[in-house]
Amino acid sequence: MAGAGAGTSNGSLADPPMPSMAEFTQQMKEDAENQQCLVPIVAKLLAKLVEENDKLPADKEITVFHAQKAPAVNVLDYAERIAKYSSCSYCCFVVGVIYMDRFIRQQRALQRDFRVNSLNVHRLMLSSIMVAAKFLDDFYYSNEFWAKIGGVPNSELNTLELEFLFLTNFELHVKRETYDGYREELMAWNTGATSLSQTKSLVYEVRALSVTDRSMQDGAAVEAMTEDKGDAMIKTERRTVHRLAPHSSQTGVAQSTERRSAIRAAAEAACRERWRTEQLRLKQSEGLTARAAVERRRWRGGGGVL
């Protein structure tokens, strides 16, 4: 008793007071409310990934997650439907993204060309979030009810779940630091902040795609601007030639053919020089865009760890 009393008076060995059940329940409610914003963020991330991947050629290999045609419902509405009717924890959406990363990592380890696009994102999202809810939540609905939420037959959802589990090697446990890292990375991506994480996750891939997209847009803008400037310079030089070589009706003096040719040649030479300068700038911009495209292809086809 004395030792216990001494430990309590010391303060450093005393256990922190346990919160009451009411306090614990309130903390859980506040934590759930704070994570509610994760649903549209995850949906926005997947929608951006689908938008970029749909620009690429179709997948060579068709999996059970591929639909014959893209569903009419968009990714955000589908995610909100899952959150509303499944009553799963909001953290299941972040864990679902982690599971998708593991799924894609396994696909690339098997040398399969798999990309999240409009044909497979709905079934992939439904499977990953359902598996996360079963693993994390104390109470969850049956596959039959989940099939009604997702708009697929129950037998198909059973197949999707089994395929998803095998292609993630049944690796469902997520460490707290891993979850916090993904959640912070999602929040940073949503606000446009720079992420310090070097993990090649779905968020990392979307960031890389966005950088490539901006580079390509900048290159196209520079090209269009250069063409406009080139046309303007040609017109300006032509007006200069006409000013330097006035008509005989205005001056009353006939200009020789050699003089007009010399003036026109000098003006066109100046025009070509300016045009070469603009072309050089364009090539430099295209070089940046090409390097970004090479990096994008290397990332997609490298088969590296996500």
Side-chain angles (χ1 to χ4, degrees), residues 25-306:
T25 304
Q26 182 63 26
Q27 290 177 1
M28 290 185 63
K29 289 182 179 179
E30 292 177 356
D31 186 55
E33 291 175 357
N34 292 335
Q35 297 191 75
Q36 187 174 0
C37 64
L38 294 172
V39 176
I41 293 176
V42 170
K44 179 182 175 182
L45 175 79
L46 294 176
K48 180 63 177 177
L49 187 61
V50 166
E51 179 186 353
E52 296 300 330
N53 286 338
D54 280 347
K55 300 175 184 178
L56 302 175
D59 293 336
K60 297 179 180 179
E61 297 185 15
I62 304 300
T63 67
V64 295
F65 298 94
H66 284 77
Q68 292 183 353
K69 63 178 182 179
V73 59
N74 61 51
V75 177
L76 178 58
D77 292 341
Y78 197 70
E80 291 179 346
R81 175 181 173 84
I82 293 175
K84 178 179 179 180
Y85 293 106
S86 70
S87 301
C88 66
S89 304
Y90 297 123
C91 63
C92 292
F93 284 81
V94 179
V95 176
V97 173
I98 298 175
Y99 289 170
M100 288 185 200
D101 269 336
R102 295 174 179 177
F103 176 89
I104 296 174
R105 180 194 312 158
Q106 182 67 12
Q107 291 279 0
R108 291 177 178 173
L110 296 173
Q111 302 297 320
R112 295 176 180 173
D113 184 21
F114 184 90
R115 289 186 295 269
V116 180
N117 54 35
S118 58
L119 296 178
N120 57 40
V121 63
H122 296 81
R123 287 173 171 79
L124 192 61
M125 180 166 57
L126 178 65
S127 304
S128 63
I129 296 174
M130 184 186 73
V131 170
K134 287 186 175 183
F135 189 79
L136 296 174
D137 292 347
D138 295 329
F139 303 98
Y140 54 84
Y141 292 111
S142 64
N143 280 25
E144 183 179 1
F145 190 78
W146 275 91
K148 294 179 180 178
I149 296 174
V152 297
N154 186 26
S155 58
E156 181 179 355
L157 183 59
N158 293 338
T159 303
L160 293 174
E161 180 186 21
L162 191 62
E163 185 77 5
F164 187 84
L165 288 171
F166 273 104
L167 286 173
T168 54
N169 289 327
F170 289 84
E171 186 183 352
L172 302 181
H173 177 67
V174 177
K175 295 181 179 180
R176 178 70 193 194
E177 54 268 24
T178 302
Y179 174 84
D180 290 339
Y182 269 81
R183 181 175 58 83
E184 292 172 2
E185 194 174 0
L186 282 167
M187 299 294 288
W189 173 81
N190 184 57
T191 57
T194 303
S195 174
L196 299 178
S197 175
Q198 298 299 320
T199 305
K200 292 187 176 180
S201 61
L202 286 179
V203 184
Y204 178 92
E205 184 171 354
V206 171
R207 285 182 180 273
L209 289 172
S210 299
V211 170
T212 305
D213 242 10
R214 285 196 295 270
S215 299
M216 295 176 67
Q217 291 173 2
D218 292 343
V222 170
E223 183 177 359
M225 180 179 64
T226 305
E227 290 179 356
D228 293 341
K229 286 187 176 180
D231 293 341
M233 284 189 296
I234 291 174
K235 292 179 181 179
T236 302
E237 297 300 339
R238 286 177 178 174
R239 287 196 297 267
T240 303
V241 168
H242 286 296
R243 283 200 306 268
L244 293 177
H247 297 290
S248 58
S249 59
Q250 297 174 342
T251 60
V253 179
Q255 301 292 332
S256 65
T257 304
E258 293 80 7
R259 175 62 177 169
R260 289 197 302 269
S261 299
I263 294 175
R264 186 177 297 274
E268 290 180 351
C271 178
R272 284 194 296 271
E273 183 63 29
R274 294 184 187 179
W275 179 253
R276 279 195 293 268
T277 302
E278 293 295 334
Q279 286 293 99
L280 179 60
R281 294 179 184 175
L282 175 59
K283 288 181 180 179
Q284 292 174 348
S285 176
E286 288 177 345
L288 295 175
T289 303
R291 285 196 296 273
V294 169
E295 185 66 21
R296 177 177 177 180
R297 288 195 297 272
R298 184 189 64 80
W299 155 245
R300 292 194 174 283
V305 179
L306 288 174

